[in-house]
Amino acid sequence: MCKEFETTGGAPQLREATVRREAKTQYTLASFLDGRLGGTGSRKAVNALRAALDKGKFAEYHDVLYAHQPAESVDGFTDVYLLKLAGRVPGLRGPDFDSAVKTMKYRTFVTNAQDAYERAGGPQDPEGPGTPTAEINDVRIPVRYNGLLFDGPVFDGLLKKIREDPGSWRAVSP
């Protein structure tokens, strides 16, 4: 579902609003699929994204990873595949990036990100709030409205309404 949000849903509109400085985007990267499916690809991808952040290429690499995401049931984000995809981002590959991917340099970051994701679920969802989850002005979009995350024009309209009248969002949110 994250791939749908990131590639054909509301993420492109959110990205444009962020570039125009009309929105601030913050990601909490989760690697829960590894525990559920017995793999390591999610943790490896989070580690590689953190390494891309160091090179100032997070957004570009993030887009490439989602555009070429293996099926969730397949542990497809191997070191070799992550490095191959990094080759599609000009200026990302190099000894420091490659080493960070191969050695899981950001292992602690990966663990801390997963812990933050789980905490975000609160007592009602101790394994995490589900993905994708969006908060706008510190108000989580209720699950019953999650469908709007997958409809770019509708999500864009919501972002516009919130920019124009931020208080209205708090008034209608549970």
Side-chain angles (χ1 to χ4, degrees):
M1 300 225 358
C2 289
K3 181 178 182 176
E4 183 182 352
F5 170 72
E6 293 291 346
T7 59
T8 61
Q13 287 78 14
L14 178 59
R15 187 175 307 107
E16 289 301 315
T18 302
V19 168
R20 291 189 307 264
R21 300 191 184 276
E22 298 169 351
K24 179 181 175 185
T25 303
Q26 179 179 335
Y27 284 89
T28 300
L29 302 171
S31 55
F32 58 84
L33 285 177
D34 290 348
R36 294 180 187 168
L37 301 174
T40 59
S42 291
R43 287 190 301 270
K44 288 178 178 284
V46 171
N47 176 71
L49 280 165
R50 176 61 183 83
L53 180 65
D54 275 355
K55 302 280 282 181
K57 302 287 185 179
F58 175 88
E60 296 91 334
Y61 191 49
H62 178 268
D63 288 349
V64 168
L65 291 185
Y66 273 106
H68 299 91
Q69 179 182 356
E72 289 183 355
S73 60
V74 176
D75 195 26
F77 278 133
T78 64
D79 293 345
V80 170
Y81 190 55
L82 289 164
L83 292 171
K84 177 181 175 184
L85 293 177
R88 295 174 179 247
V89 179
L92 181 56
R93 290 286 308 263
D96 52 342
F97 177 83
D98 291 8
S99 176
V101 169
K102 292 175 185 175
T103 65
M104 281 291 292
K105 177 179 179 178
Y106 297 104
R107 176 177 288 117
T108 300
F109 172 84
V110 173
T111 300
N112 291 342
Q114 179 60 31
D115 290 347
Y117 169 76
E118 291 171 3
R119 281 192 308 276
Q124 68 277 16
D125 292 310
E127 293 184 1
T131 60
T133 295
E135 290 185 9
I136 301 174
N137 295 342
D138 298 320
V139 177
R140 183 169 297 158
I141 294 176
V143 172
R144 68 179 178 272
Y145 297 120
N146 260 8
L148 67 87
L149 296 173
F150 302 101
D151 187 323
V154 171
F155 189 67
D156 195 41
L158 175 64
L159 292 173
K160 183 178 181 198
K161 176 182 167 95
I162 292 167
R163 276 193 312 276
E164 292 171 355
D165 187 7
S168 67
W169 173 244
R170 287 202 182 279
V172 298
S173 299

Coordinates of all heavy atoms in Angstrom, one line a residue, residues 1 3 32-42 69-77:
M1 N 0.8 -1.2 0.0 CA 0.0 0.0 0.0 C 0.9 1.3 0.0 O 0.5 2.3 -0.6 CB -1.0 0.0 1.2 CG -1.9 -1.2 1.2 SD -3.6 -1.1 1.5 CE -4.0 0.6 1.9
K3 N 3.7 1.6 -1.6 CA 4.1 1.9 -2.9 C 3.0 2.6 -3.7 O 3.3 3.6 -4.4 CB 4.4 0.5 -3.6 CG 4.9 0.7 -5.1 CD 5.2 -0.6 -5.7 CE 5.7 -0.3 -7.1 NZ 6.2 -1.5 -7.8
F32 N 9.0 -3.4 9.7 CA 8.3 -4.5 10.4 C 8.1 -5.7 9.5 O 7.9 -6.8 9.9 CB 6.9 -4.0 10.8 CG 6.1 -3.4 9.8 CD1 5.3 -4.2 9.0 CD2 6.0 -2.0 9.6 CE1 4.5 -3.6 8.0 CE2 5.3 -1.4 8.6 CZ 4.5 -2.2 7.8
L33 N 8.1 -5.5 8.1 CA 7.9 -6.6 7.3 C 9.0 -7.7 7.5 O 8.7 -8.9 7.3 CB 8.0 -6.2 5.8 CG 6.7 -5.5 5.3 CD1 7.0 -5.0 3.8 CD2 5.5 -6.3 5.4
D34 N 10.2 -7.4 7.8 CA 11.2 -8.4 8.1 C 10.8 -9.3 9.2 O 11.0 -10.5 9.0 CB 12.5 -7.7 8.4 CG 13.2 -7.0 7.3 OD1 12.7 -7.2 6.1 OD2 14.1 -6.2 7.5
G35 N 10.3 -8.8 10.3 CA 9.9 -9.7 11.4 C 8.7 -10.6 11.0 O 8.6 -11.7 11.4
R36 N 7.8 -10.0 10.2 CA 6.6 -10.8 9.8 C 6.9 -11.8 8.7 O 6.3 -12.9 8.7 CB 5.5 -9.8 9.3 CG 5.0 -8.9 10.3 CD 3.9 -8.0 9.8 NE 3.6 -7.0 10.8 CZ 2.9 -6.0 10.6 NH1 2.4 -5.7 9.4 NH2 2.6 -5.1 11.6
L37 N 7.9 -11.5 7.9 CA 8.2 -12.4 6.8 C 9.5 -13.2 6.9 O 9.8 -14.0 6.1 CB 8.1 -11.7 5.4 CG 6.8 -11.0 5.1 CD1 7.0 -10.1 3.9 CD2 5.7 -12.0 4.9
G38 N 10.3 -12.8 7.9 CA 11.5 -13.5 8.2 C 12.7 -13.1 7.3 O 13.6 -13.9 7.0
G39 N 12.6 -11.9 6.8 CA 13.7 -11.4 5.9 C 14.5 -10.3 6.5 O 14.4 -10.0 7.7
T40 N 15.3 -9.7 5.7 CA 16.1 -8.5 6.1 C 16.0 -7.3 5.2 O 16.6 -6.3 5.4 CB 17.6 -8.9 6.2 OG1 18.1 -9.4 4.9 CG2 17.9 -10.0 7.2
G41 N 15.3 -7.5 4.1 CA 15.2 -6.4 3.1 C 14.7 -5.1 3.5 O 15.2 -4.0 3.1
S42 N 13.7 -5.1 4.4 CA 13.2 -3.8 4.9 C 14.3 -3.0 5.7 O 14.5 -1.8 5.5 CB 12.0 -4.0 5.8 OG 10.9 -4.4 5.0
Q69 N 10.2 -1.4 -6.2 CA 10.0 -2.2 -5.0 C 9.6 -3.6 -5.4 O 8.7 -3.8 -6.1 CB 8.9 -1.6 -4.1 CG 8.7 -2.3 -2.9 CD 7.6 -1.7 -2.1 OE1 7.0 -0.6 -2.4 NE2 7.2 -2.4 -1.0
P70 N 10.4 -4.6 -4.8 CA 10.0 -6.0 -5.0 C 8.6 -6.2 -4.3 O 8.2 -5.5 -3.4 CB 11.1 -6.8 -4.4 CG 12.2 -5.8 -4.1 CD 11.6 -4.4 -4.0
A71 N 8.0 -7.3 -4.7 CA 6.8 -7.7 -4.0 C 7.1 -7.8 -2.5 O 8.2 -8.3 -2.1 CB 6.2 -9.0 -4.5
E72 N 6.2 -7.4 -1.6 CA 6.4 -7.5 -0.2 C 6.7 -8.9 0.3 O 7.3 -9.1 1.3 CB 5.3 -6.8 0.6 CG 5.2 -5.3 0.4 CD 4.1 -4.7 1.2 OE1 3.3 -5.4 1.9 OE2 4.1 -3.4 1.2
S73 N 6.2 -9.9 -0.4 CA 6.3 -11.3 0.1 C 7.7 -11.8 -0.3 O 8.1 -12.9 0.1 CB 5.2 -12.2 -0.5 OG 5.3 -12.1 -1.9
V74 N 8.5 -11.0 -1.1 CA 9.8 -11.4 -1.5 C 10.8 -10.5 -0.8 O 10.7 -9.3 -0.7 CB 10.0 -11.2 -3.0 CG1 11.4 -11.6 -3.5 CG2 8.9 -12.1 -3.8
D75 N 11.9 -11.1 -0.3 CA 12.9 -10.4 0.4 C 13.9 -9.8 -0.6 O 15.0 -10.2 -0.6 CB 13.6 -11.3 1.5 CG 14.4 -10.5 2.5 OD1 14.1 -9.4 2.7 OD2 15.4 -11.1 3.0
G76 N 13.4 -8.9 -1.4 CA 14.2 -8.5 -2.6 C 15.1 -7.4 -2.4 O 16.0 -7.2 -3.3
F77 N 15.1 -6.6 -1.3 CA 16.0 -5.5 -1.1 C 17.3 -6.1 -0.6 O 17.6 -5.9 0.6 CB 15.5 -4.4 -0.3 CG 14.6 -3.5 -1.0 CD1 13.3 -3.1 -0.5 CD2 14.9 -2.9 -2.2 CE1 12.5 -2.2 -1.1 CE2 14.1 -2.0 -2.9 CZ 12.9 -1.7 -2.3

